[in-house]
Amino acid sequence: MSENIKGLTQAKADELLTKNGLNEVPEPQFNFFKEFLSKLWNLSAWILEAALLLECILGKWIQSLFVLLMLLFAAWNGASKKKQSRRVLNNISHKLTPTVSVMRDGKWQNIDSKYLVPGDLVSIQTGDVLAADVKLIDGQISTDESSITGEAKTVRKQIKDTAYAGTTVVEGSGLATVTATGANSRSGKTVNLINNSAAPGHLQQLLTKIIYYLCILDGILTLVIVIAFFFKGGKISNFIEMLPFLAMMFIASIPVAMPSTFALSNSFEATRLSKEGVLTADLTGIQDAANLNLILLDKTGTITENKTAVANWTNFSQMTDSEVLELAAAATDQRNKKIIDSAIDDYVSSLGLKVKAPDDFTPFTSSTGYSMANIDGHNVKLGSFKQLSLIDVSATDKVKDIDFGAGRSVALLIDDKLSGVFILQDKVRSDSKAALAELKKRGVMPIMLTGDNQKTAEAVAKEVGLEGEVISIHDFTDQTDTSKLAGIADVLPEDKLKMVKFFQQKGYIVGMTGDGVNDSPALRQAEVGIAVSNAADVAKRSGKMVLLTDGLTSIVKILDAGHRVYQRMTTWSLTKLARTAELTMLLTFGYLFFGYIPMALNAMVIYTIMNNMVTMMIGTDRTHITYKPENWNMARLAKIAFSLASGWTVIGILAVAYLNTHGWSHETISTMVYVYLVLSAMFLILITRTKRYFWQDYPSKAVGLTQLGDIILTVILAILGIAMDKISWTNLAITFLVALVAAIVIDLFYQPIMKNR
């Protein structure tokens, strides 16, 4: 029946496309105002709002205005970067639109699903995510309708039943006609393969940890100031005047620019990867790539070329080779060709034989292990020898001389008798050996997974330089020494999820490549799930990354992107922790040693705002690629940051002590301390962003220009005395000299210690 059904002509399809429009529904527009308001209701905003309320109660209207501006800037900036991230991901998502096998002008072809029109004849198979509402006219399928019903329940579809856009075909195959597209479909939207979450959970946890560390430090130092104040006999009325300073110490601890910095860096890398042949479906995939230390790789299509050819074939029947091969070709899938189908068809055609259309055809499924066709009075089955040998019990005796280790085997049964065996071989990709060597160089252990037998897997592993043991999945146990594994053979698709979970339980951060329906759970489970270029729609939806090109080279690009994000965020975290610790310690010890807080309140507010401006640009900074998996160790980062802050604080306190004892006024010292803090913040970024001495490397243009702008603004404010007491050019030069000397001394100690971090 299926072979007699015809689809639309291209002319008719074009006419309907003009009438009905594309098979897509415009996504709801990003609501900037709503996003802006949401940024005013979180932990960081609450601290700023409490400080704003305190400043107003105390009548500090100028400071209140600065805090209000900081609060509004944080909300506006966060919403802006969220909008930018959303735009980047939306642009990428368009490239992930599924393709559909559709008949036009009597020929099967793959088209972008957005060009489907009502009346189109489409071919459906296991793993498809339906892109439109369809009516089944041939075959049987089961669909997962949880995307529209919310219930994870498989629904069986018979002929004349309707299957809906957005649902996944979990079993079966068939033909269907499109009944509704775009806004007219049941789901009211085109299948979207992108996860639009631009605020991954573990980043929010990191933000919370940073606030936690800073608040502990600020709380301790504030308590020290309060105790010291009353110990010195201070009065309550005077203490109230100190409250704005104490509030600003907490305000300085708020990582206002952190969400924006992460969003900017991730969007920057997602855009970069899309130009290099990798689409990002979930931004956490980029971040986790920096921590990746083990990757499970499919052999076919990843390590080997996505091309398979018949290397040898043996005829066991009484028919001629030509007769048997033509019957075999009738059992290949012409609607949705797989690698094996193409290899056998190409082999048959190369011999000048015809690929005949069967009377009826049943596609291959993993549950049966073979495809089946009826033609010229014969029943033909093509597939796994293991499965087909259960039908013909005499098959094992016939294949004693077949070298199954020479490649992938495909058995042929005609009328339930073994009639032939094909041996297919995959060609190793030219870039595989070098790419695998690069992965190992970066501390990532590659393990090849293949359904092939152990002998074939060993040959491929040796060819691509995978050192270690190749074992069968049947010999794999909890006691297996995973550090010596090069590959695992005889792997079934359902084994892959078990492998991912096993290695995760061993403490690995796992990457996984896959292409099939049964790979989807493993792709979803892995920290870095990568759907390869020819993957089924459901596999692409499950992975965090989708490759547009074959091979392993693109995976190295994913690692590079992850390391760039990690390095930028490490710089941000170190500088934020160090700058805040330096500010609070310098003011606290200044009060303890000299009896006053050596910085004007207005200057403190301006300093906090300016620092957030420059650190936000770190998301675009130049970075270096490291060759080992990274990890977020906040306790360690806090120790390093505190050490840096201590160095700057000691030098700053010594400078203030000198100025206090040599005739400088408190007001002049206050402005000089402000300049010193701004310069130390700029130098901290330069020091922590590179493994070389800061004068040997340079930041990105965006970071450099923002730093220059901050310094110029600082000079103008200090020289003209805007929002602070003005100082002379001589005092400004002294402050610059002290900051420069401090940066050089600190970096001379810092870099040798951090060389191997």
Side-chain angles (χ1 to χ4, degrees), residues 379-552:
N379 177 264
V380 183
K381 296 181 178 71
L382 187 69
S384 162
F385 176 79
K386 181 179 179 181
Q387 294 294 105
L388 294 179
S389 64
L390 299 177
I391 298 174
D392 182 2
V393 294
S394 65
T396 305
D397 294 331
K398 296 179 182 178
V399 298
K400 291 180 178 178
D401 296 329
I402 299 293
D403 182 9
F404 284 96
R408 186 185 307 183
S409 61
V410 179
L412 173 69
L413 260 62
I414 298 177
D415 299 326
D416 290 342
K417 294 295 180 182
L418 183 68
S419 300
V421 172
F422 295 90
I423 299 297
L424 285 66
Q425 292 181 340
D426 296 337
K427 184 180 179 183
V428 172
R429 296 185 59 84
S430 59
D431 67 334
S432 290
K433 188 171 183 177
L436 287 169
E438 188 67 21
L439 287 174
K440 288 187 283 187
K441 181 181 177 183
R442 292 164 186 269
V444 179
M445 181 169 68
I447 296 179
M448 178 179 68
L449 301 182
T450 177
D452 288 342
N453 58 63
Q454 192 172 346
K455 186 175 179 181
T456 301
E458 287 174 345
V460 174
K462 182 178 180 181
E463 188 174 352
V464 296
L466 285 176
E467 299 175 355
E469 187 180 4
V470 176
I471 66 172
S472 170
I473 188 69
H474 307 300
D475 299 324
F476 190 92
T477 66
D478 290 346
Q479 285 69 47
T480 300
D481 187 353
T482 56
S483 64
K484 296 180 180 179
L485 278 182
I488 304 173
D490 304 313
V491 173
L492 297 175
E494 52 268 29
D495 293 325
K496 295 178 181 179
L497 177 60
K498 298 176 184 176
M499 289 291 96
V500 172
K501 288 183 175 180
F502 173 84
F503 285 109
Q504 287 174 331
Q505 290 168 1
K506 289 288 186 180
Y508 289 99
I509 304 299
V510 181
M512 170 78 199
T513 66
D515 61 355
V517 179
N518 291 326
D519 294 338
S520 299
L523 290 173
R524 191 177 293 112
Q525 177 70 26
E527 282 86 356
V528 186
I530 304 171
V532 298
S533 58
N534 63 331
D537 293 340
V538 68
K540 290 180 179 178
R541 189 176 63 179
S542 301
K544 293 181 179 179
M545 319 296 291
V546 180
L547 305 184
L548 297 181
T549 57
D550 296 328
L552 295 168

Side-chain angles (χ1 to χ4, degrees), residues 645-720:
S646 297
W648 284 102
T649 301
V650 168
I651 295 173
I653 287 293
L654 291 175
V656 172
Y658 178 86
L659 296 174
N660 268 302
T661 57
H662 287 77
W664 273 265
S665 68
H666 289 180
E667 292 77 13
T668 298
I669 293 173
S670 175
T671 301
M672 292 175 72
V673 167
Y674 160 72
V675 176
Y676 175 79
L677 284 169
V678 170
L679 293 175
S680 67
M682 301 303 109
F683 280 121
L684 265 171
I685 292 173
L686 298 178
I687 290 170
T688 56
R689 61 169 298 278
T690 177
K691 285 189 173 183
R692 299 194 289 175
Y693 293 113
F694 74 85
W695 57 85
Q696 295 177 321
D697 202 357
Y698 60 93
S700 69
K701 184 181 292 185
V703 173
L705 289 176
T706 306
Q707 285 187 307
L708 182 61
D710 267 17
I711 293 172
I712 291 174
L713 179 59
T714 297
V715 170
I716 293 173
L717 294 176
I719 293 297
L720 298 181

Side-chain angles (χ1 to χ4, degrees), residues 611-639:
N611 275 334
N612 283 311
M613 290 293 291
V614 69
T615 52
M616 187 175 64
M617 290 295 104
I618 291 175
T620 64
D621 195 17
R622 295 171 57 254
T623 60
H624 61 276
I625 302 300
T626 54
Y627 290 91
K628 63 177 182 178
E630 308 284 6
N631 64 82
W632 286 108
N633 187 335
M634 280 305 303
R636 185 165 178 268
L637 285 177
K639 291 177 183 177

Side-chain angles (χ1 to χ4, degrees), residues 11-173:
K12 182 63 176 177
D14 291 340
E15 179 185 332
L16 290 171
L17 187 65
T18 302
K19 177 183 177 182
N20 296 285
L22 293 173
N23 178 34
E24 60 184 11
V25 176
E27 295 180 8
Q29 292 295 314
F30 178 80
N31 190 321
F32 184 87
F33 182 68
K34 184 177 180 181
E35 187 66 28
F36 175 85
L37 292 179
S38 73
K39 300 299 181 184
L40 298 176
W41 191 252
N42 56 48
L43 179 59
S44 298
W46 294 336
I47 297 175
L48 284 172
E49 288 157 2
L52 175 62
L53 183 62
L54 177 62
E55 299 285 0
C56 290
I57 291 173
L58 296 174
K60 301 292 183 179
W61 301 113
I62 295 178
Q63 289 79 18
S64 298
L65 178 61
F66 277 120
V67 176
L68 177 62
L69 290 175
M70 186 185 297
L71 178 65
L72 295 177
F73 169 77
W76 173 83
N77 188 54
S80 298
K81 292 300 177 288
K82 180 68 176 290
K83 182 178 181 180
Q84 181 179 342
S85 298
R86 180 77 172 268
R87 187 187 305 118
V88 169
L89 287 176
N90 285 343
N91 289 338
I92 292 173
S93 71
H94 294 155
K95 301 176 184 178
L96 284 172
T97 306
T99 58
V100 182
S101 180
V102 60
M103 180 174 279
R104 296 272 176 88
D105 292 329
K107 296 179 180 179
W108 287 105
Q109 54 185 286
N110 289 323
I111 67 168
D112 193 315
S113 63
K114 67 182 179 181
Y115 297 117
L116 281 178
V117 296
D120 260 329
L121 177 65
V122 296
S123 176
I124 300 172
Q125 62 177 339
T126 304
D128 286 348
V129 180
L130 300 182
D133 290 353
V134 298
K135 180 179 180 181
L136 196 65
I137 60 175
D138 184 46
Q140 290 184 338
I141 61 173
S142 294
T143 61
D144 176 2
E145 296 189 349
S146 58
S147 62
I148 56 175
T149 65
E151 298 180 9
K153 184 178 178 181
T154 300
V155 181
R156 190 73 175 170
K157 301 291 183 180
Q158 309 285 347
I159 291 177
K160 295 185 179 181
D161 286 345
T162 298
Y164 301 106
T167 62
T168 302
V169 181
V170 296
E171 184 182 354
S173 61

